Amino acid sequence: MIAALALAAAAAAAPAVTADCAGALCDYAVLRPYFDKLAAARGGTGKPVHILQIGDSHTAGDSITGAWREALQARYGSGGRGVMPPGRPFQGYNPRGVSVEMSSGWTVSSIFGAGSQNPRGALGLSGFSITSSVEGARIGLTASANQSFTRLILCAIAEPGAGNLVITAGAQVDRMELGALLTRPECKTFDYDRPQYAVSVVTEGGPVTITSWASFRDAGGVALSNVGVVGSQFVHFSRNDDAVVAEELRSYDPDLIVVAFGTNEGFAARVSPQEYEITLRTQIGRLRRLAGRVPILMLGAPDALTRRNELLANAPTMTPAPCIEPVTLPPADPVAPPALSNAAAAAVRTSPDDIEDVLDALGRGAAVTGGASRPAPAPAPAAATPAPPRTGWAITARPLFPPPGLKAVREVQRKVAHQLRLAFWDWEARMGGRCTAVTWVKLPPVRMRGDYVHYTTLGGQDIASRLQADLDAAMTAGGGWWR
């Protein structure tokens, strides 16, 4: 609880706002159409405000996007879970707010990773597709109470010889026929007159390929979609199909697109800023061509660290300085016992006959009664107190450092975003700057995992809070935009 309060306080600190930047969010004026819709989302009706984030493992894992979704829906109302990859496309897939089932009999294709070797059919926004020729193969979704839905969208490939999909939600059963003369993407919407909590999709009569699906609640509020592929770079997004992406964007109708690549680019064995800039400009141009006038927010590459020496020079720039880390220091010298005062020393050396004088010297005011006093035994020497262990900060023998490629990627992202009129959020700066990942891993509260790249649940909440704090500041700075 204390850690959560500390994170909330850190995020709540008002970001500095100028005409160009709010905290780490720059060129925020381009987000005006999104801010306008968001201002009307609370207590609204109809289509929710839809945020669509595409990216790598930071997006696929749903730690950050899940926390961001929960915060927005707590404020504006839930608009449903949004867009998801079909079925369970990779091991460890664990979306927040819903649970997903997938039977045997499906083959997974993807833009990157194992499923990219021999992909079957075209791919879309999610970066995945699932294909089955098995009669009765099934995928299912069960939503939490906050993610119930009144609208389901299913996107698949219509083609010659394709089978059908049977969709069951409550008592309503629908069929999506995919046989067609020409191969083309098709998204179909299924509406429900009351909120649904579960849906089942089953194959029938021939091979089928599903590229994505989505659930929405049409009662205002916000839906935040996260579609990411672990290990991917923005260049891999080019492996999906223009026609599929265009059909999905038309059907899912996002109000804000968030582009969250950069970490894997920065950790590549070789980073060419010129080549990366070409890729970035090409994919942003393509996304705009397919999505129309939807505002785009680019998240810069976050702070992340490695100990791999081969990455010390993965970009044409200076070798990065190492990060200092908390280390255990050698113990200090033992603490010596306090020295005896002159009077106390005399007490140790005196004879029994002079004991009264010694007591007077010590101020104890005590008298010796009775007969002759026995000689007092000499006190044992006091042992030195062991020094407590010490913790300090130092550069270790195998130090951590941010790959120079990460900085090169971030600089290109910032430049291209400004020139192409995208909003840009400096993720690294908002974390605290270079080498911040050390403290996020090694000091409480622990907000990053031991790989110095990925985030814990608490870290995901922290990043989402900082991002939304800057968006709130930008929205407030807009003044009369929505009032």
Side-chain angles (χ1 to χ4, degrees):
M1 176 62 71
I2 293 176
L5 291 174
L7 295 182
V17 179
T18 67
D20 298 318
C21 300
L25 176 66
C26 291
D27 292 320
Y28 58 80
V30 303
L31 301 179
R32 175 178 174 176
Y34 163 69
F35 289 146
D36 286 342
K37 293 178 180 178
L38 191 63
R42 187 187 288 109
T45 58
K47 175 184 174 294
V49 175
H50 181 203
I51 302 168
L52 172 65
Q53 179 165 318
I54 60 174
D56 50 31
S57 57
H58 291 312
T59 300
D62 207 20
S63 172
I64 298 168
T65 48
W68 190 17
R69 180 186 307 112
E70 290 166 6
L72 286 171
Q73 291 183 344
R75 184 188 301 183
Y76 295 101
S78 174
R81 181 54 180 75
V83 183
M84 295 163 284
R88 298 185 61 84
F90 59 89
Q91 187 174 5
Y93 177 62
N94 187 29
R96 290 168 67 159
V98 296
S99 60
V100 179
E101 303 170 359
M102 184 169 77
S103 71
S104 59
W106 295 95
T107 300
V108 177
S109 299
S110 66
I111 60 172
F112 182 79
S116 66
Q117 303 305 314
N118 295 293
R120 162 67 193 270
L123 299 163
L125 283 170
S126 75
F128 292 98
S129 70
I130 56 173
T131 300
S132 182
S133 299
V134 177
E135 182 83 12
R138 175 184 177 275
I139 59 173
L141 179 147
T142 302
S144 66
N146 197 48
Q147 302 301 337
S148 62
F149 55 94
T150 59
R151 176 164 52 100
L152 178 78
I153 302 177
L154 193 59
C155 293
I157 303 298
E159 57 187 340
N164 307 319
L165 293 170
V166 179
I167 301 96
T168 304
Q172 181 172 324
V173 180
D174 297 285
R175 181 171 275 96
M176 185 175 182
E177 298 180 355
L178 295 172
L181 293 175
L182 300 174
T183 299
R184 56 179 172 79
E186 180 178 332
C187 294
K188 188 170 183 178
T189 299
F190 306 92
D191 295 306
Y192 304 97
D193 57 5
R194 64 190 62 173
Q196 299 295 318
Y197 296 89
V199 64
S200 174
V201 179
V202 179
T203 62
E204 175 188 78
V208 295
T209 295
I210 304 173
T211 59
S212 63
W213 57 349
S215 60
F216 296 99
R217 184 191 303 174
D218 290 332
V222 175
L224 197 158
S225 303
N226 63 300
V227 284
V229 179
V230 176
S232 67
Q233 303 178 22
F234 205 9
V235 68
H236 299 130
F237 189 74
S238 65
R239 296 176 180 175
N240 55 29
D241 184 80
D242 276 14
V244 178
V245 172
E247 171 69 3
E248 291 178 332
L249 286 170
R250 179 194 65 79
S251 300
Y252 297 142
D253 193 19
D255 300 296
L256 173 66
I257 296 175
V258 181
V259 177
F261 292 94
T263 299
N264 295 308
E265 286 90 335
F267 275 74
R270 172 184 169 275
V271 178
S272 167
Q274 294 78 17
E275 292 177 7
Y276 177 63
E277 182 172 344
I278 292 171
T279 295
L280 193 57
R281 289 180 180 276
T282 300
Q283 291 308 310
I284 292 297
R286 174 174 176 250
L287 198 55
R288 275 190 163 154
R289 174 171 54 82
L290 298 174
R293 299 176 64 85
V294 180
I296 299 175
L297 167 61
M298 183 183 295
L299 306 187
D303 184 51
L305 308 175
T306 184
R307 300 186 193 273
R308 294 163 54 194
N309 288 335
E310 64 269 24
L311 293 181
L312 276 168
N314 72 333
T317 184
M318 295 178 61
T319 300
C323 304
I324 59 172
E325 305 174 51
V327 295
T328 301
L329 299 177
D333 294 336
V335 179
L340 294 175
S341 66
N342 291 337
V348 174
R349 296 191 302 268
T350 190
S351 66
D353 294 335
D354 298 323
I355 192 65
E356 291 184 4
D357 294 334
V358 173
L359 292 175
D360 288 339
L362 292 173
R364 292 165 58 185
V368 178
T369 59
S373 300
R374 297 181 182 178
T385 304
R390 298 187 300 159
T391 300
W393 292 80
I395 297 172
T396 64
R398 189 164 174 257
L400 288 163
F401 61 91
L406 209 54
K407 180 181 180 181
V409 164
R410 196 178 297 116
E411 289 175 347
V412 171
Q413 290 175 324
R414 181 182 289 105
K415 180 180 78 172
V416 170
H418 179 70
Q419 292 178 351
L420 297 185
R421 292 190 53 76
L422 279 60
F424 176 78
W425 191 61
D426 191 336
W427 189 338
E428 182 212 40
R430 199 59 168 92
M431 285 178 68
R434 185 182 183 279
C435 293
T436 299
V438 172
T439 59
W440 283 44
V441 171
K442 294 199 169 185
L443 297 183
V446 176
R447 288 168 283 178
M448 291 185 79
R449 304 192 184 281
D451 60 4
Y452 296 89
V453 173
H454 297 98
Y455 296 85
T456 64
T457 299
L458 191 62
Q461 293 171 356
D462 195 348
I463 295 299
S465 295
R466 294 173 191 236
L467 172 58
Q468 187 56 45
D470 289 354
L471 286 164
D472 286 341
M475 188 171 175
T476 300
W481 284 353
W482 59 93
R483 293 174 185 165

